[in-house]
Amino acid sequence: MIEWPLILGSGMLGAAHCLGMCGPFALAVGAASPTWRANLWRQGWYSAGRVFTYAVLGSTAAFGGRWLTGRLGPWANIPALLALVAGGFLVVQGLLAAGVLPRKGVGGIAACPGAAAFKALLGGRATSDVFLAGLFTGLLPCGLLYGMLALAASTGSVLAGLATMVIFGLGTVPAMIAAGLGGSVLGVATRQRIHAVAAWCLVLTGVVSLARGAGGLSWGSEPAPGCPFCGPEPIQAGP
Amino acid sequence: MISTRPADRPCACHYCGLPVVGGSADEPRFCCSGCRFASAITAAGGADAQARWMMTRLGIAIFFSMNVMVFTFLLWSQPEGEAAGGTAAAAALYGLARHASLLFSAPVLLLLGGPLAENAVGEVRRGRLTLDLLLVIGVAAAFGLSAYATWLGEGHVYFEVACMVLLAVTLGRWLEAQGKLQTTAALRDLESLLPDRVRLLTPSGECEVALADVGVGDRLRLLPGEHVPTDAVIRSGTAAIDERTVTGESEPAVKGAGDSLHSGTTNLDGELVVDVVAAPGAGTLERLIEAVSTAVETSGSRRLADRVAAWFLPLVLVVAVATAAVHWWRSGAAAGVLAGLAVVVVSCPCALGLATPLALWAAIGRAMRRHVLVRDGDAFERLARAGWICFDKTGTLTTGCRLERMSATEPDEALAMAAGLARGSTHLASAAIAAAAGEQGLAAIDLEDVRSIPGCGMEGRWSVREVTVRLGSPRWILAACGTDQTWPRCAESIAGTDETAAPCSCLLAVGDQVVAGFWLAEEVRPVAAAAVAGLQARGAEAMLLSGDQAARVAAVAMRFDLPWRAGLMPADKLAAIAELRGSRGVVMVGDGINDAPALASADVGVALGCGADVSRWSADVCLLDDDLGNLPWLVDLARATSRTIRWNLLWAFGYNAACIPLAATGLVHPAVAAAAMVASSLFVVGTSLRLANDESPTTEPHATAGAAAASQGVELVA
């Protein structure tokens, strides 16, 4: 798919946006480790947890998209519509990040009974704790993530959706690890510049998705063939 | 969890404090598996490693379940009929996905199914059948069928059902337990006032022992800042004691040798040696906590929910088994298991069992934070629909009196004589007269056989002249002395209060001769006006019921713009309440001791000045800090509580009535059923939590209290 390099880029550069929310978590993960090597190990597992969740969410979204296609296929080209939704979402997210659209203040995370457990996992000694902390971090609400999930939903194939989110997740890894290792690898000015590039990268991904969606919007046309396992026929949603 | 033996002895859940049926002292009991699970996660002190393990266990189960989900999506994406005829690579991938699902769901079964099965088996051993048992059987059956299909290499697999049901049930119950924990937090805050360990003084020295090991007669040492562990009498030492938690009194009381201490109060600044007079668990605070706990237990809607729950479990059992049998017969084993499991999973006994107690706990806890103690859960319901709020005057709307003026031929002797009678009474007028004598440096004249005549005054014998001396209401005094007396000129009004033309407040008679008249000024409680106005704004009608003279009652009533009845003897108050009682009920607000009969006979009795001994309270509600400003707030809270209970019950009945038949049709996937059940429980917990934490039913009495007090000042009624 043409978007994949762009998705990777969005992840890599978009992570500058992620650091606002997830950066402190990465720091908390690293706080317990005595050496930078140990920290790197923990950061790696933390990111692995996140990417794992993204992958599951991606496959879920893709299955959802596929299910919708199966149900509504005769009436509408669902993948194309989803690609349009994803594109729109990503463009808006990109423009927000670039500062072209005004950003509304973000409310605090609602008090959640699991918060204490999450905190304990972040500082946990065991590698499994850090991995699980990453797994739950992946579930935190994030606009960028939703945009990517919409994109995954539009792929129409569980494996492609999964791949989309894994690629996006891998893209976020370097910045998150850097943040967890000490954060100050890049200066503020550099980070701002990267942030701006990332924002436009998002917009570009969105535009490509929009174009793909618009191209597929010829009513009744054959949905684009995906991987060998997900043929173009309508699919039954489970037993 | 609903027990099949609701008549068992109630005790509290080890985790959230909600009542559990059929407990024993030697092992911790939990009201649901969620509490058991949450308790294991948060267990502190030594059990830390285990807590970690429980948490990791949940996390790993989530991880494996997520994997199973991905494989399931992959399997569900399999185009029909292509599995056999598709490419070899595709067939291999689907086979792999089935085996991977088996591999990944097995740990989930062990990690989450284990505790659930343990719980179910434990209940079976106690002779109780629970839905958990069906849940475990259903999940095991779904897993077993799928494993068999995987081994055969054909047929559908339902590994995701086993994982999702277990995960949803565990997570849902955990969250539910957290919610319950929050609703009962207020009570635990109170319990935390009792220390775990105390300093026991023995002939051989001082040692630290557990509070439970202390007995009546033991001697303890209390340091500054420590809480009083149980009711005790001070042996030596002096200290300021903060009794706010028990009596609501905000000013610390200075106590010394011989004074008694209530459990749960705080020793602020002195070192004390005390003798224990109540066994731990029988102290003032514990009795208070017990009174509140009983409030929930005895609630009528709670009993209704219990009755329903008693037949709910057998009903679900029957429906689930019947559903499984019918679907098995019509569409095979897998369909039977899935449909039966869906019925068990979707049914929500939690919502039924929790609908009332959770809301009541939340409301009672919330009230307790404002020093309003509710002893009867049903009082909220009655308070919510009460049409009349009746106030007592003295000590309720007014706080006290002072002697404004007196008229006598021998003022000093008359005042000293009056003080001799007045010191035997706690009535506000008596207190004012005794205080005035004290201020003028007059020693009270000693009298014999001083006794109080309810609703009339005091009388005693003056041995010097062998006559009866009386101090009390002019009506009583004049009747006792003969009505022809005109002394003193009672109709004479005091300048500035001409509209009341108030007669004197009380008379003193020696023998059958009236010797003095006293005019008392009454002080209006600062927030009373705001409270009355707030209640009227909420649609309740207020009335003043007083045993005092008409003119004085009228004067106070006029300040509050209230209808009034005066000169009521205790029995008259009961009659007045009975007369007012229509379909909406009467609330009586009065003094906890003097108005006890009226408080007890009203639909809701709200008492001020209840004192520390909860067993002597006659009212349903007690304003511990005597703050009338809490009344409108309490009515709001009662209405919100009543609304919440109705909504919760409606939801619980509606949800179960709608979802169980739907699940019985076999149309609901068990994973969806699990999600619905969790949502239902969380709805009930959520509405109750909102009641516990939401600040919306509030009023502004405290903001306006200052202004109201400034505008009223001292009310002259004599």
Side-chain angles (χ1 to χ4, degrees):
Chain A
M1 274 171 77
I2 182 171
E3 294 102 319
W4 286 4
L6 277 173
I7 292 169
L8 184 68
S10 297
M12 286 181 83
L13 302 168
H17 151 93
C18 303
L19 292 184
M21 187 165 197
C22 298
F25 296 141
L27 278 176
V29 164
S33 40
T35 64
W36 74 267
R37 269 172 199 285
N39 193 355
L40 188 63
W41 173 256
R42 285 170 68 83
Q43 295 295 343
W45 278 107
Y46 178 68
S47 280
R50 272 189 316 115
V51 174
F52 171 75
T53 300
Y54 294 159
V56 174
L57 292 178
S59 64
T60 309
F63 179 76
R66 200 178 156 74
W67 184 77
L68 272 181
T69 311
R71 287 292 155 103
L72 306 175
W75 297 287
N77 188 340
I78 297 297
L81 284 176
L82 283 172
L84 283 179
V85 170
F89 208 93
L90 288 172
V91 167
V92 170
Q93 283 294 323
L95 292 179
L96 279 173
V100 177
L101 292 177
R103 187 184 284 277
K104 268 192 262 168
V106 185
I109 303 172
C112 155
F118 181 55
K119 208 173 149 193
L121 283 176
L122 276 178
R125 296 231 158 262
T127 306
S128 63
D129 287 348
V130 182
F131 178 77
L132 290 177
L135 189 143
F136 291 122
T137 306
L139 293 173
L140 290 176
C142 167
L144 188 60
L145 189 64
Y146 296 153
M148 287 300 166
L149 282 178
L151 201 61
S154 76
T155 59
S157 142
V158 171
L159 286 181
L162 187 143
T164 303
M165 292 309 288
V166 167
I167 289 171
F168 164 73
L170 286 177
T172 63
V173 169
M176 283 293 280
I177 287 189
L181 285 179
S184 54
V185 180
L186 301 171
V188 175
T190 321
R191 260 186 293 165
Q192 275 171 351
R193 239 170 284 142
I194 291 183
H195 197 145
V197 176
W200 291 110
C201 195
L202 268 186
V203 174
L204 191 58
T205 314
V207 169
V208 171
S209 178
L210 281 176
R212 192 167 66 93
L217 260 193
S218 47
W219 298 97
S221 75
E222 288 278 302
C227 71
F229 307 115
C230 344
E233 295 89 353
I235 313 109
Q236 285 303 307
Chain B
M1 181 153 316
I2 300 305
S3 156
T4 51
R5 298 197 332 213
D8 284 5
R9 190 172 64 85
C11 70
C13 171
H14 187 63
Y15 183 68
C16 72
L18 280 177
V20 194
V21 180
S24 69
D26 28 289
E27 54 169 334
R29 288 275 286 134
F30 298 94
C31 63
C32 65
S33 54
C35 280
R36 185 187 295 276
F37 187 78
S39 169
I41 285 186
T42 52
D48 213 23
Q50 199 205 347
R52 274 245 94 81
W53 165 231
M54 282 305 278
M55 191 114 98
T56 311
R57 177 186 263 212
L58 181 62
I60 292 174
I62 291 175
F63 169 71
F64 282 124
S65 300
M66 286 166 92
N67 278 294
V68 172
M69 245 167 76
V70 174
F71 293 124
T72 304
F73 286 141
L74 207 57
L75 287 173
W76 282 356
S77 306
Q78 177 182 5
E80 273 178 18
E82 204 179 315
T87 62
L93 190 94
Y94 290 127
L96 191 69
R98 288 159 75 100
H99 282 91
S101 294
L102 170 64
L103 195 69
F104 282 100
S105 56
V108 180
L109 209 67
L110 291 177
L111 290 167
L112 299 184
L116 208 61
E118 210 176 292
N119 200 44
V121 170
E123 292 294 322
V124 168
R125 285 222 182 96
R126 288 191 196 92
R128 272 183 282 272
L129 210 53
T130 59
L131 284 182
D132 280 10
L133 188 69
L134 279 193
L135 210 61
V136 169
I137 293 174
V139 165
F143 182 82
L145 281 174
S146 307
Y148 183 62
T150 308
W151 183 60
L152 283 185
E154 59 182 34
H156 281 295
V157 291
Y158 307 100
F159 294 114
E160 86 287 352
V161 169
C163 292
M164 285 306 126
V165 166
L166 285 176
L167 200 61
V169 167
T170 308
L171 270 181
R173 291 193 184 169
W174 182 38
L175 293 175
E176 215 173 80
Q178 299 293 327
K180 287 191 276 184
L181 193 69
Q182 282 183 46
T183 35
T184 53
L187 210 65
R188 265 191 318 283
D189 287 352
L190 268 191
E191 277 167 357
S192 69
L193 291 176
L194 297 177
D196 294 330
R197 302 188 71 77
V198 293
R199 284 185 198 77
L200 181 68
L201 294 176
T202 59
S204 55
E206 182 181 312
C207 63
E208 208 169 277
V209 298
L211 175 59
D213 298 334
V214 172
V216 174
D218 281 348
R219 191 158 293 174
L220 307 177
R221 196 156 72 93
L222 278 182
L223 297 183
E226 287 183 340
H227 296 300
V228 178
T230 184
D231 286 3
V233 171
I234 300 179
R235 178 90 189 168
S236 66
T238 307
I241 306 292
D242 181 354
E243 298 189 310
R244 199 178 319 204
T245 45
V246 180
T247 63
E249 180 59 59
S250 54
E251 284 293 308
V254 177
K255 298 204 171 185
D259 288 336
S260 52
L261 296 175
H262 301 298
S263 66
T265 55
T266 314
N267 171 10
L268 290 178
D269 55 4
E271 190 179 322
L272 299 175
V273 174
V274 301
D275 287 335
V276 172
V277 295
T284 309
L285 185 72
E286 296 96 309
R287 287 205 303 274
L288 209 104
I289 292 171
E290 204 192 324
V292 173
S293 311
T294 326
V296 177
E297 283 312 291
T298 53
S299 146
S301 32
R302 155 94 199 190
R303 287 194 298 274
L304 169 74
D306 276 350
R307 273 206 304 278
V308 173
W311 57 255
F312 180 78
L313 175 67
L315 182 77
V316 173
L317 280 170
V318 169
V319 173
V321 172
T323 303
V326 168
H327 285 272
W328 191 316
W329 177 60
R330 287 179 51 185
S331 333
V337 167
L338 287 191
L341 188 60
V343 170
V344 176
V345 168
V346 88
S347 72
C348 190
C350 260
L352 270 180
L354 292 178
T356 311
L358 260 196
L360 285 182
W361 274 111
I364 287 175
R366 179 102 176 272
M368 204 140 68
R369 290 210 170 95
R370 283 178 86 140
H371 289 135
V372 177
L373 217 137
V374 181
R375 290 209 312 162
D376 178 2
D378 287 339
F380 281 118
E381 195 71 40
R382 297 195 299 265
L383 192 58
R385 44 159 221 267
W388 280 95
I389 317 261
C390 298
F391 290 91
D392 171 49
K393 179 177 71 73
T394 313
T396 304
L397 289 182
T398 61
T399 49
C401 294
R402 59 193 165 78
L403 183 60
E404 190 66 17
R405 186 163 84 91
M406 67 176 289
S407 168
T409 42
E410 296 284 346
D412 286 357
E413 192 193 46
L415 190 54
M417 180 87 65
L421 284 169
R423 66 184 175 179
S425 159
T426 55
H427 193 274
L428 291 171
S430 301
I433 287 172
E439 278 167 24
Q440 294 182 26
L442 297 171
I445 292 174
D446 283 329
L447 300 167
E448 292 163 5
D449 303 333
V450 173
R451 64 196 186 97
S452 153
I453 314 290
C456 299
M458 305 287 297
E459 70 174 24
R461 258 199 98 60
W462 189 21
S463 54
V464 178
R465 281 174 50 187
E466 284 300 321
V467 288
T468 302
V469 196
R470 294 188 181 89
L471 174 72
S473 70
R475 186 165 49 92
W476 175 58
I477 298 280
L478 294 179
C481 302
T483 48
D484 57 333
Q485 302 207 28
T486 52
W487 167 269
R489 291 168 295 285
C490 288
E492 185 182 73
S493 65
I494 289 181
T497 58
D498 52 327
E499 80 273 23
T500 64
C504 52
S505 316
C506 56
L507 300 179
L508 176 72
V510 176
D512 53 6
Q513 195 63 43
V514 176
V515 298
F518 301 91
W519 283 266
L520 298 165
E522 222 165 347
E523 286 167 89
V524 171
R525 198 178 282 279
V527 294
V532 171
L535 289 171
Q536 286 169 334
R538 280 159 184 76
E541 298 192 63
M543 180 177 259
L544 188 54
L545 298 181
S546 176
D548 216 338
Q549 296 167 29
R552 277 192 283 175
V553 176
V556 173
M558 198 180 296
R559 294 295 299 203
F560 293 106
D561 196 17
L562 288 179
W564 52 273
R565 292 196 195 173
L568 301 176
M569 305 299 277
D572 299 334
K573 282 194 186 176
L574 300 194
I577 287 171
E579 199 181 303
L580 288 176
R581 181 180 290 135
S583 56
R584 294 176 65 198
V586 180
V587 177
M588 177 75 204
V589 186
D591 182 289
I593 308 295
N594 298 333
D595 288 319
L599 290 175
S601 82
D603 295 280
V604 182
V606 179
L608 293 88
C610 316
D613 189 355
V614 73
S615 60
R616 291 178 55 201
W617 295 357
S618 51
D620 308 300
V621 178
C622 178
L623 306 178
L624 279 177
D625 53 7
D626 296 355
D627 185 357
L628 278 185
N630 278 329
L631 271 182
W633 174 83
L634 189 66
V635 169
D636 282 348
L637 179 67
R639 289 179 182 171
T641 307
S642 168
R643 215 165 34 233
T644 304
I645 290 178
R646 273 203 297 277
W647 267 115
N648 280 356
L649 283 176
L650 189 74
W651 171 271
F653 282 112
Y655 166 85
N656 282 303
C659 288
I660 294 179
L662 193 66
T665 61
L667 292 177
V668 180
H669 191 271
V672 176
M677 182 273 292
V678 170
S680 167
S681 304
L682 289 183
F683 173 84
V684 169
V685 174
T687 52
S688 308
L689 260 185
R690 213 176 55 204
L691 196 61
N693 301 326
D694 191 14
E695 280 305 312
S696 59
T698 50
T699 50
E700 59 303 323
H702 297 279
T704 54
S711 71
Q712 286 172 13
V714 171
E715 174 71 5
L716 270 180
V717 292

